[in-house]
Amino acid sequence: MMHTGLVLEGGGMRGLYTAGVLDFFLEKEILFDYVIGVSAGASNAVSYISRQKGRNRIVNTTFIDDWRYMSLKNLVKEGSLFGMDFIFEEIPNHKVPFDYETFHNSPVTFKIGVTDCKTGKALYFDKGQVDKKFTILRATISVPFVSPIVHFRGYYLLDGGITEPIPIHQAITDGYQKNIVVLTRNHGYQKKPLSTPQRLLLQKKYRDYPNLITAMLNRYQIYNKTLLYLDQLEQKGKIAVIRPSKKLTVDRFEKNPEKLNALYEQGYHDATASYDRIKKIID
């Protein structure tokens, strides 16, 4: 393990790219002593920390056609597009066993970013606060509009990608000046502001959370400014960024297993191609 941070962006099913990168790291025994992620980035990180190579790929492709994993039926039945109980209870306990012991005994510092709906600001929880139901992971992947707000220890929480979509600032605040950053968007991507229909829906659905509304309206600016900051850090040799080298054909709610497997392979390939850049940072 080395004193270098690993920063993971979210992106829903685009997280298969991150899964490929993390499996390359496990194969090469590249073990960071600090990992921070939001949304799918955090969700993928748990199997990296438990050192279960290939688990993320299996979970995210094997069950993609099961309505309990992700479907409109779930949205109607449970108020969430993703079947949270199926993903965080049935799968890790019965379908694709999760190594709880290795995860909780790992010396890795793990930070999970979420959004506080009342304040409209980012909150971070650590590995010790991950319970058997993975409540904080449920919160960080709870996408607005298609997921209910998660209640946890007095907080009202949603997707961590709303307030700090690429949590590099928190990694630096925590003392990690050198980081490997894994993104799930191509170079040159810029996030756009919400459309008028989206803004109207936002105002209606979350009218009791004005700070959350403000955070979501400003999200595109935060994201784009963070990309500029990453470019500056990379030019200074403080970080190495791994991002999709080919144009993405996978969206946040992708259900095509062939596309998902191809994205996983792309992540593994891009990490392999970035190995020398990674070593310069961690050395």
Side-chain angles (χ1 to χ4, degrees), residues 17-270:
Y17 180 85
T18 303
V21 173
L22 296 181
D23 277 355
F24 173 79
F25 289 166
L26 287 175
E27 187 175 292
K28 291 294 183 180
E29 290 290 315
I30 301 175
L31 303 175
F32 300 86
D33 62 2
Y34 176 93
V35 179
I36 185 168
V38 297
S39 198
S43 186
N44 278 309
V46 296
S47 292
Y48 168 75
I49 295 170
S50 66
R51 304 190 70 173
Q52 291 178 273
K53 182 177 180 288
R55 185 177 182 277
N56 283 323
R57 183 182 195 175
I58 294 169
V59 170
N60 287 288
T61 59
T62 302
F63 304 102
I64 197 64
D65 290 328
D66 191 318
W67 70 268
R68 295 172 296 174
Y69 184 89
M70 179 175 65
S71 67
L72 291 176
K73 184 175 180 178
N74 268 329
L75 188 60
V76 172
K77 185 177 180 181
E78 300 181 10
S80 175
L81 187 68
F82 289 95
M84 297 297 187
D85 289 342
F86 183 70
I87 293 172
F88 291 113
E89 292 186 49
E90 180 69 16
I91 290 178
N93 294 322
H94 304 289
K95 303 289 187 182
V96 188
F98 178 69
D99 190 342
Y100 292 95
E101 183 177 1
T102 298
F103 174 77
H104 285 291
N105 290 336
S106 171
V108 174
T109 297
F110 179 37
K111 292 286 188 74
I112 304 146
V114 294
T115 295
D116 184 333
C117 296
K118 289 186 175 181
T119 65
K121 297 184 181 300
L123 280 177
Y124 290 92
F125 293 87
D126 61 32
K127 179 161 56 70
Q129 294 166 302
V130 176
D131 57 20
K132 271 281 189 177
K133 291 188 175 182
F134 293 102
T135 307
I136 203 62
L137 286 178
R138 296 178 187 228
T140 197
I141 71 164
S142 289
V143 179
F145 303 124
V146 295
S147 302
I149 291 173
V150 174
H151 298 254
F152 183 69
R153 298 187 178 180
Y155 293 104
Y156 295 75
L157 306 172
L158 276 177
D159 185 357
I162 297 170
T163 44
E164 195 165 0
I166 308 166
I168 182 65
H169 295 288
Q170 186 64 39
I172 293 172
T173 297
D174 287 340
Y176 288 81
Q177 301 299 317
K178 291 194 172 185
N179 294 278
I180 305 300
V181 182
V182 182
L183 304 182
T184 56
R185 291 286 193 180
N186 300 107
H187 190 270
Y189 171 80
Q190 291 282 286
K191 190 172 288 294
K192 297 178 181 179
L194 295 178
S195 65
T196 298
Q198 288 174 322
R199 291 199 299 271
L200 292 173
L201 180 58
L202 176 65
Q203 296 283 350
K204 181 178 180 180
K205 185 172 180 63
Y206 298 110
R207 58 185 176 273
D208 294 333
Y209 303 95
N211 292 322
L212 174 65
I213 292 172
T214 299
M216 290 184 64
L217 291 174
N218 293 334
R219 183 186 182 193
Y220 79 101
Q221 294 177 322
I222 294 171
Y223 187 88
N224 295 338
K225 286 180 181 178
T226 303
L227 290 179
L228 286 175
Y229 183 54
L230 292 178
D231 287 343
Q232 294 169 2
L233 292 177
E234 192 164 34
Q235 289 170 8
K236 294 177 181 178
K238 292 186 175 181
I239 68 170
V241 178
I242 303 173
R243 50 164 51 104
S245 57
K246 298 179 181 178
K247 186 176 180 180
L248 289 177
T249 61
V250 170
D251 62 28
R252 178 183 289 273
F253 304 121
E254 183 63 61
K255 297 198 68 170
N256 185 320
E258 291 183 3
K259 287 185 176 181
L260 293 172
N261 277 304
L263 186 59
Y264 169 91
E265 295 293 347
Q266 185 181 343
Y268 184 91
H269 176 270
D270 287 348

